[in-house]
Amino acid sequence: MIVAEKKPIDEIIGFVRDYRKILLVGCNECVTVCYAGGKKEVEILASALTMAFMKEGKELEVKEVTLERQCDHEYLEEIRNIIDEYDAAVSLACGVGVQFMAEKYFRTPVFPGVNTLFMGVTEERGVWAERCQGCGKCILGETAGICPISRCAKRLLNGPCGGSTKGKCEINKELDCAWQLIIDRLKELGRLEDYEELIPIKDWSTERAGGPRKVIREDLKQ
Amino acid sequence: MSTKTPSRLEKILAAGHMAVTSECGPPRGSKGEVITKKAEMIKDYVDAINITDNQTSVTRLCSLAACIRLKLMGVEPILQMVTRDRNRIALQSDILGAASFDLYNILCLSGDHQQFGDSPQGQNVFDLDSIQLIQTVRYMRDEGKFLGGDDIDQPPKMFVGAAANPFADPFEIRVPRLAKKIAAGVEFIQTQCIYNLEKFELWMKMARDRGLHEKVYILAGVTPFKSAGMAKYMKNRVPGMDVPDEVVNRMSGVPKEKQPEEGIKICVESIQRLKEVEGVKGFHVMAIEWEEKVLEIVEQSGLYPRPKIE
Ligand code: SF4
Ligand code: SF4
């Protein structure tokens, strides 16, 4: 899933300070699972904003909606009939949802309610961690199912570096060294000799480096 | 072994001499003479001098410019190059720039993460890793081509080195990792500073068991402690450093004013012992910001005078 964190309330107040009618739009997918932008967080933000405005002696009308997804036309269309009644919207979806809403409702100012971080997993309750950077050419088959691009601080394809200590990364004692994990798993799979295969220089053109990416499936296009 | 480049370091090693290299860190400013002064001081005691490339991610005068200064004063430089800050265009371009000044040695590194230095908020590049940089230099030199496949008009002639840390974890892949660097084409290795001699000897034995000591020149890295505080710091704070308690105790066991002397003594004793280890072909004496001590260490270890090779 895409992992995000709530933006500091003061930053959001700064965005909407001059408006009187605001639409707060949550998303029922990833940001709900990581407690950053679901129905619950929309509720909390609504009351926080109302209180902040009251303190300044101003009135605020907030409307709360949480859509199934904000990255599909179908669901975003559900607010078409009401959006023009509001001076601005805050989307608590990931950056993708915020942008898609801004694209669709061109005349309404749309602000982000969360900081979008990464694609990752729920390691345990309250703990999310990165697992993939969408490099566009997955090498997990060569690295025992552990991604050095997203999990090694230097994205070394032939690691580990000399800083790996007691299984932890040189940049942070709390962070597993990806290459230690790869080696441990190769060993478990009885394939430690695969460690000596040189992973070739990567073609990064399928990654961010190659410019904004797009997938087109002619068979599905209408 | 026959030589493949005009590198003096390569010739010395190929002739069977114990090589001695050292390193200098460029200044945090534009005073080029800082580097030439350091080099002037140690040049007769070493065969070549590494110039670090923004080590510990602290911004400094660039390695390439400092290497050119050494070259112009007749000292053999080893250009350190990290993949942290440059993509493949910049790396290849700097290699050609170095070659245009007849720099014949390169040390391929990935580099410390930027969070250690003065720009923790900066981007990193890591388009290649250190092993892929070794492959790149070898490809440019031996095939005379850029990574993109085009011909290079007068390819670089560089003796290709890399670092090895026998002490980082996991230990079991430390020798396989050396084998990987050799497979990528590395020709000389400078190791991490050695304080745990037993562990280093075990690593060398495991390397010999695979015949790796015959495929690459291994220069053992040593660094003298200036003080007990430095020993403790290296033990506890520097990732991938293995300083046994007995060494720390030996340093703290002598009065503060005697500690620098004790540090040099430990260093010289280590060199004496490491000279006997089969497969050790020389020493890399790192005394950053204490360069004047390189002279004593080299002399007391019986590594002076240096062989004369044109
Ligand atoms: S190799 Fe690429 S696609 Fe595969 S997990 Fe890593 S970043 Fe994602
Ligand atoms: S310690 Fe491990 S995870 Fe961290 S940079 Fe080095 S190889 Fe990568």
Side-chain angles (χ1 to χ4, degrees):
Chain A
M1 74 172 136
I2 292 177
V3 178
E5 275 180 329
K6 288 195 257 187
K7 263 192 185 296
I9 179 74
D10 288 344
E11 194 180 338
I12 301 179
I13 293 171
F15 293 147
V16 299
R17 173 154 285 137
D18 298 330
Y19 301 110
R20 291 296 159 265
K21 291 181 79 180
I22 305 169
L23 183 63
L24 300 186
V25 192
C27 178
N28 219 358
E29 297 274 359
C30 312
V31 289
T32 295
V33 183
C34 63
Y35 299 87
K39 192 161 184 284
K40 195 81 204 281
E41 291 74 34
V42 168
E43 261 173 53
I44 296 169
L45 180 61
S47 35
L49 286 177
T50 311
M51 266 168 44
F53 271 66
M54 248 162 58
K55 255 199 203 150
E56 293 183 18
K58 292 191 289 193
E59 272 205 24
L60 177 71
E61 189 186 326
V62 222
K63 163 93 177 157
E64 302 168 31
V65 222
T66 295
L67 304 176
E68 196 48 39
R69 277 202 289 284
Q70 292 190 28
C71 49
D72 267 321
H73 286 298
E74 186 188 344
Y75 301 104
L76 262 186
E77 279 300 324
E78 290 171 9
I79 53 169
R80 175 153 316 271
N81 294 333
I82 57 165
I83 188 131
D84 285 338
E85 296 166 27
Y86 296 89
D87 306 330
V90 176
S91 162
L92 280 80
C94 68
V96 175
V98 180
Q99 288 184 67
F100 215 34
M101 185 186 298
E103 265 172 68
K104 195 181 259 307
Y105 301 112
F106 210 63
R107 287 188 312 265
T108 307
V110 178
F111 298 100
V114 303
N115 288 323
T116 304
L117 290 158
F118 52 78
M119 287 187 268
V121 294
T122 312
E123 278 187 344
E124 55 183 276
R125 206 181 141 76
V127 180
W128 294 274
E130 185 163 18
R131 287 292 185 276
C132 174
Q133 287 182 356
C135 74
K137 212 176 252 170
C138 195
I139 58 161
L140 287 174
E142 293 151 70
T143 56
I146 290 152
C147 169
I149 295 166
S150 56
R151 301 185 70 186
C152 164
K154 302 178 193 165
R155 52 158 62 169
L156 303 179
L157 298 184
N158 295 282
C161 74
S164 181
T165 308
K166 298 196 179 76
K168 300 299 173 184
C169 174
E170 72 169 26
I171 72 159
N172 180 348
K173 285 198 168 92
E174 306 296 310
L175 195 69
D176 289 327
C177 166
W179 275 95
Q180 175 81 54
L181 299 175
I182 292 171
I183 289 153
D184 289 348
R185 192 142 193 274
L186 282 173
K187 228 182 338 182
E188 191 64 31
L189 300 171
R191 283 173 37 202
L192 194 54
E193 68 280 4
D194 287 7
Y195 172 74
E196 290 195 32
E197 302 274 329
L198 295 175
I199 297 186
I201 292 174
K202 191 168 169 69
D203 170 1
W204 294 110
S205 68
T206 55
E207 188 246 18
R208 180 210 61 82
R213 293 165 283 176
K214 204 170 207 170
V215 174
I216 302 173
R217 281 275 304 269
E218 292 299 341
D219 55 331
L220 297 173
K221 260 177 80 176
Q222 285 161 357
Chain B
M1 294 191 218
S2 65
T3 58
K4 298 194 196 90
T5 72
S7 158
R8 196 158 73 101
L9 178 63
E10 186 184 13
K11 285 182 192 150
I12 285 174
L13 287 162
H17 300 292
M18 278 265 168
V20 180
T21 56
S22 183
E23 73 186 41
C24 293
R28 299 209 67 204
S30 56
K31 284 191 180 147
E33 62 275 18
V34 173
I35 209 83
T36 43
K37 253 190 222 147
K38 286 180 182 176
E40 192 60 51
M41 182 162 61
I42 62 176
K43 71 177 182 10
D44 296 332
Y45 290 77
V46 298
D47 305 315
I49 300 177
N50 289 37
I51 301 289
T52 52
D53 180 6
N54 298 297
Q55 80 265 22
T56 61
S57 308
V58 173
T59 315
R60 291 167 182 276
L61 189 150
C62 77
S63 176
L64 176 53
C67 282
I68 293 168
R69 284 182 177 271
L70 295 199
K71 184 79 192 184
L72 294 176
M73 61 187 279
V75 174
E76 171 114 335
I78 300 173
L79 176 70
Q80 290 198 187
M81 198 176 258
V82 302
T83 62
R84 178 192 60 224
D85 309 321
R86 303 175 188 83
N87 71 359
R88 62 192 76 178
I89 301 173
L91 290 166
Q92 294 178 96
S93 162
D94 280 358
I95 288 166
L96 292 182
S100 77
F101 281 94
D102 295 334
L103 304 192
Y104 297 131
N105 308 289
I106 185 168
L107 194 81
C108 303
L109 305 166
S110 52
D112 297 313
H113 192 271
Q114 74 276 9
Q115 86 148 40
F116 291 104
D118 64 358
S119 304
Q121 294 167 335
Q123 264 288 4
N124 54 35
V125 181
F126 296 117
D127 183 9
L128 310 183
D129 62 25
S130 57
I131 286 185
Q132 294 165 343
L133 180 57
I134 295 169
Q135 289 177 310
T136 301
V137 189
R138 285 295 304 263
Y139 186 69
M140 290 172 77
R141 181 186 91 189
D142 300 342
E143 308 296 324
K145 285 184 191 302
F146 290 102
L147 288 178
D150 295 339
D151 288 337
I152 299 173
D153 181 10
Q154 190 169 310
K157 294 190 261 315
M158 285 182 176
F159 187 42
V160 182
N165 185 353
F167 310 106
D169 292 321
F171 184 65
E172 65 214 288
I173 59 92
R174 288 290 130 197
V175 170
R177 184 159 176 75
L178 175 67
K180 244 176 134 163
K181 289 192 173 176
I182 293 170
V186 80
E187 297 165 309
F188 72 97
I189 290 285
Q190 292 172 325
T191 76
Q192 172 71 287
C193 323
I194 302 163
Y195 298 106
N196 186 341
L197 285 97
E198 268 106 71
K199 197 159 184 187
F200 176 78
E201 284 164 350
L202 174 63
W203 179 77
M204 274 305 305
K205 182 184 177 306
M206 289 161 72
R208 283 197 306 273
D209 289 346
R210 292 184 55 170
L212 299 180
H213 65 307
E214 278 158 0
K215 297 189 177 138
V216 69
Y217 298 109
I218 296 174
L219 310 188
V222 292
T223 290
F225 291 131
K226 257 185 187 170
S227 64
M230 174 183 172
K232 279 179 206 148
Y233 179 84
M234 300 261 271
K235 179 185 178 73
N236 299 319
R237 289 295 165 89
V238 182
M241 194 71 79
D242 182 348
V243 187
D245 288 328
E246 69 236 42
V247 182
V248 177
N249 294 341
R250 190 170 154 189
M251 284 300 293
S252 33
V254 298
K256 213 168 168 63
E257 66 283 2
K258 295 255 179 210
Q259 285 175 358
E261 203 180 303
E262 192 67 15
I264 303 286
K265 231 156 121 191
I266 296 175
C267 187
V268 170
E269 286 168 24
S270 303
I271 295 180
Q272 302 289 17
R273 176 161 157 192
L274 292 168
K275 269 188 189 172
E276 305 305 319
V277 178
E278 189 187 347
V280 170
K281 300 284 167 57
F283 292 91
H284 182 51
V285 185
M286 294 165 271
I288 295 272
E289 302 313 326
W290 209 25
E291 284 86 0
E292 67 271 21
K293 292 294 167 189
V294 171
L295 286 57
E296 278 174 50
I297 294 168
V298 172
E299 210 159 13
Q300 289 175 28
S301 312
L303 293 165
Y304 185 80
R306 302 304 313 142
K308 291 270 166 281
I309 279 182
E310 86 331 315

